[in-house]
Amino acid sequence: MTSRTSPSHEPTFRESVDIMFKRAVPLAGLSEGLAEKIRVCNSTYTVRFGVRLRGTIHTFTGYRSVHSEHMEPVKGGIRYATNVHQDEVEALAALMTYKCALVEAPFGGSKGGLRIDPDEWEEHELEQITRRFTYELAKRSLISPSQNVPAPDMGTGEREMAWIADQYRRMNTTDINASACVTGKPAHAGGIKGRTEATGRGVQYALREFFRHPEDVATTGLSGDLDGKRIIVQGLGNVGYHAAKFLSEEDGAVIQGIIERDGGIWNADGLDVDDVRRWIGEHRGVAGYPEATHVADGASLLTEECDILIPAALEGVINLGNAHHIKAPLIIEAANGPVTSGANDILRERGVVIIPDMYANAGGVTVSYFEWVKNLSHIRFGRMQRRAEEARQNLIVSELERLDAYLGDHWSMTPHFKQKYLQGSDELELVRSGLDDTMRTAYQAMREVWHGRDDLDDLRTAAYLVAIERIAMSYRAKGL
Ligand code: NAD
C-alpha cells in the first residue's frame, strides 16, 4: 500500500512531495535558483551498524536526512519500520521543512528512520539498538540540541526518546542543554505534558478550526459542526487513537470505521475508541472485536461512505488505484503523505477537500517546539506566574462575593465559576492553549491564500505557498 507497491505510473513519495511543491512555486514568484535550493534535500546520512544480540551480530540500517538548514536546529521524527528507505526519509524531511514554516516553529526540516520491526525485539534489545543508533547519529551532530533534534514517529514513542536523551547525555556530560537534544520524552525525563497526545490533539484543533468557517465547510457539501459527523480512521496508533478519541469524546463525532494492519472494523452507531485500542493491545489487531463487523481487506473501508476520512497510518494509501472511489467529501491527512500526487489531482477535480498533512499533523512539532524551549529554559511552563495569576484573580472573586452577598436573591455567581476562575494555568493548559493558537493561526494563513487568490483552488497549494514564501524570506535574509 506504500508508494512502492502502488501502480507503476504512481510517483514515489519523494516525487509526490516535489510535484506538489512545484505546483506552488510559480505562484510564489521565486527565481528558479532559489526554488531549487528550497526543494532539494541538503544531505542524507546512511549508517549501517552492528549490535550483538542473541549470540550473533545483527546489522541494522538507519538514515537521518537533513532537508533544509535555513533555520537551525533542524527537526523531525525518527521512524522504526521495516520498509524505511532513503526516498521516504527525504520526503518526510522535506515535509518537515514546509510544516515548520507553516506553523512558525523555528526549525529546518529533518527526518530519520531505522529499518527494523520493533515487534521482533525485546525491550532491552530495542534499547541497545536505539542507543547504538543514537551514538552513530550524535557523533556526527545529527542529534544535538543546537543542530538536530529528533522526535517520535511511526514505531517510536516516549520510551525510545528517553533512551536517546540518556545516551546523548552520557556522550556529552558537560552539555547543560543535553535534554533538548530530542523531544517527545516522558514528562519525568524532561518531557512536556501533552506531547504524546499532541499530534492527535492538533488534528482535532485543525478540524474544529475548519468547522468554524461555514463557507469552508460549504465547499465540502457538509454543514454544521463536528457533532454527529461520521468518521473513518486508518491507523489507531499514537496519532489516530488520540484524534479519534478526542473527536468522539469531546466533539460528538461518530467513529464508524477503524482500519488497522489486520483489516477494518465497522459499526454504524459508532465505535468506542478506548475499547478498540484495548482490544488491539490484547489481540494485536482489530479482528474479532465483538462490537463491530470485521472486513479482512481494511483498505476497502477507505472508500466507504463517511463525512470525514482520517488516514493516520502511512503514506500512499490513497492513490491512483482508489482515489476515484473515495466517497468522503473531506479528508484530513493525519499521516504524512497518505494521498499521492496523482490521487490529489483526481480528488481535487472531484471537489474533495483535503486538509493537508503539513498542517493537519503539525501539532506534534508544535508541542515539540514547546518542549525544546522548556528544556533550554530549564523551567516548566507556568511555574513563575501561576500563583501570581491566582492571587490577582482572587481579588476579583472577593469583590464578586461581596456583590453576591449584597444582591441577595437577585444575583449569584454561576456554580463552579470561582473554582474554575481561580485555577491558574498549569503546563498542560498552557501547552493546549499554545497548540490551539498555532493551529488556528496557521489555518487562517492558509485559508487567506486559498480564498484570496484565483490562481489556486486547494488548501494544499495554499499551505505550500505560505511555507515557501516564509522559507524564501529566511534565505533572502541570509543574502541568498
Ligand atoms: P504509530 O506507530 O503510533 O501508529 C501507526 C498505526 O498505524 C499503528 O496502529 C499501526 O498498526 C497502523 N498501521 C500500520 N500499517 C497499517 C496499514 N497498512 N493499514 C492500517 N493501519 C496500519 O505511528 P504514529 O506516530 O501514530 O504515526 C502515524 C502517522 O502520523 C505517520 O505518517 C507519521 O509520520 C505521522 N506523524 C506522527 C507524528 C507523531 O507525533 N507521532 C507527528 C506527525 C506526523
Side-chain angles (χ1 to χ4, degrees):
M1 222 189 290
T2 66
S3 49
R4 294 211 138 182
T5 54
S6 303
S8 56
H9 49 295
E10 189 103 66
T12 67
F13 185 14
R14 167 82 239 192
E15 287 161 354
S16 264
V17 172
D18 277 354
I19 290 169
M20 294 172 185
F21 171 86
K22 284 178 180 163
R23 176 171 298 134
V25 163
L27 311 181
L30 302 189
S31 71
E32 230 173 81
L34 182 54
E36 185 61 5
K37 175 66 207 84
I38 295 174
R39 186 192 69 78
V40 295
C41 181
N42 287 4
S43 62
T44 300
Y45 172 68
T46 306
V47 59
R48 294 179 190 85
F49 58 91
V51 186
R52 182 177 286 280
L53 297 160
R54 303 177 191 178
T56 45
I57 294 176
H58 294 262
T59 301
F60 297 91
T61 305
Y63 306 89
R64 187 77 182 157
S65 211
V66 175
H67 174 261
S68 173
E69 290 149 291
H70 70 289
M71 283 198 188
E72 282 184 307
V74 293
K75 188 110 194 55
I78 289 185
R79 172 176 289 200
Y80 282 5
T82 46
N83 56 354
V84 162
H85 52 89
Q86 184 167 344
D87 183 87
E88 177 188 68
V89 177
E90 290 190 358
L92 290 164
L95 277 176
M96 281 306 297
T97 297
Y98 309 137
K99 189 182 302 184
C100 289
L102 182 66
V103 296
E104 296 177 287
F107 304 122
S110 181
K111 203 80 181 192
L114 185 64
R115 259 187 209 217
I116 187 175
D117 177 357
D119 292 340
E120 272 182 16
W121 301 97
E122 301 286 329
E123 183 165 346
H124 69 276
E125 295 169 328
L126 271 177
E127 179 177 348
Q128 256 179 283
I129 299 163
T130 303
R131 286 185 181 277
R132 183 61 207 278
F133 187 32
T134 304
Y135 173 79
E136 294 297 333
L137 296 181
K139 74 178 182 191
R140 293 169 178 85
S141 299
L142 289 166
I143 296 179
S144 144
S146 60
Q147 290 182 63
N148 198 322
V149 183
D153 195 73
M154 220 159 84
T156 59
E158 286 190 339
R159 184 183 63 173
E160 288 75 16
M161 301 307 115
W163 292 332
I164 292 175
D166 186 64
Q167 183 63 30
Y168 179 86
R169 210 174 287 115
R170 287 184 193 192
M171 294 168 67
N172 299 273
T173 49
T174 57
D175 184 348
I176 195 171
N177 293 322
S179 67
C181 74
V182 66
T183 56
K185 303 178 289 294
H188 61 267
I192 194 167
K193 294 211 173 100
R195 172 59 185 90
T196 304
E197 63 169 48
T199 310
R201 181 67 77 186
V203 171
Q204 176 198 31
Y205 288 168
L207 278 173
R208 281 186 180 174
E209 181 58 15
F210 181 83
F211 278 88
R212 269 188 205 107
H213 300 277
E215 59 278 42
D216 298 3
V217 178
T219 61
T220 61
L222 298 169
S223 59
D225 56 20
L226 281 162
D227 194 27
K229 294 287 178 294
R230 302 162 305 156
I231 294 182
I232 295 176
V233 185
Q234 183 188 41
L236 209 67
N238 179 318
V239 179
Y241 162 69
H242 286 107
K245 176 182 166 70
F246 299 146
L247 287 163
S248 57
E249 288 179 1
E250 296 171 15
D251 298 294
V254 184
I255 310 298
Q256 288 190 330
I258 291 176
I259 308 166
E260 259 295 330
R261 291 174 204 262
D262 66 330
I265 51 172
W266 174 263
N267 183 336
D269 296 329
L271 294 156
D272 178 333
V273 176
D274 273 321
D275 203 36
V276 176
R277 172 94 155 177
R278 246 188 319 273
W279 180 272
I280 295 173
E282 284 162 16
H283 302 86
R284 299 175 74 91
V286 286
Y289 181 69
E291 309 294 326
T293 311
H294 179 259
V295 285
D297 176 17
S300 66
L301 279 191
L302 290 170
T303 55
E304 274 302 318
E305 194 101 33
C306 66
D307 297 318
I308 306 170
L309 182 60
I310 310 185
L314 60 166
E315 57 264 19
V317 292
I318 299 173
N319 47 44
L320 294 176
N322 61 4
H324 282 291
H325 308 294
I326 298 287
K327 295 188 192 71
L330 177 62
I331 299 174
I332 178 158
E333 295 182 324
N336 282 307
V339 176
T340 65
S341 63
N344 190 57
D345 289 344
I346 294 168
L347 293 165
R348 267 176 60 216
E349 268 165 38
R350 292 185 46 219
V352 175
V353 174
I354 301 175
I355 303 181
D357 46 8
M358 87 170 74
Y359 166 69
N361 66 37
V365 73
T366 301
V367 177
S368 275
Y369 169 38
F370 302 154
E371 180 177 334
W372 181 73
V373 170
K374 173 186 172 178
N375 293 153
L376 294 180
S377 55
H378 300 269
I379 188 165
R380 90 177 126 73
F381 289 113
R383 182 164 176 178
M384 298 296 281
Q385 67 272 44
R386 184 175 181 190
R387 303 297 163 190
E389 208 181 284
E390 275 181 16
R392 255 200 320 277
Q393 279 155 349
N394 217 349
L395 289 176
I396 296 181
V397 168
S398 315
E399 288 304 298
L400 286 174
E401 274 172 341
R402 270 192 337 111
L403 197 62
D404 197 345
Y406 176 72
L407 291 174
D409 289 342
H410 298 289
W411 182 84
S412 64
M413 277 194 275
T414 317
H416 308 305
F417 165 80
K418 182 175 168 181
Q419 183 209 342
K420 277 193 193 159
Y421 188 70
L422 279 184
Q423 206 173 34
S425 307
D426 62 10
E427 186 171 87
L428 184 59
E429 270 181 273
L430 290 169
V431 162
R432 287 183 182 160
S433 150
L435 175 59
D436 195 11
D437 182 63
T438 304
M439 297 308 289
R440 290 186 198 208
T441 310
Y443 184 79
Q444 281 152 25
M446 257 181 350
R447 86 181 286 274
E448 215 170 275
V449 173
W450 182 29
H451 295 305
R453 297 182 60 136
D454 46 22
D455 49 0
L456 62 84
D457 60 3
D458 66 318
L459 275 167
R460 192 191 310 279
T461 311
Y464 268 101
L465 193 50
V466 173
I468 290 170
E469 281 176 346
R470 289 183 183 163
I471 299 164
M473 266 195 294
S474 160
Y475 273 118
R476 284 195 195 105
K478 288 182 196 305
L480 250 185

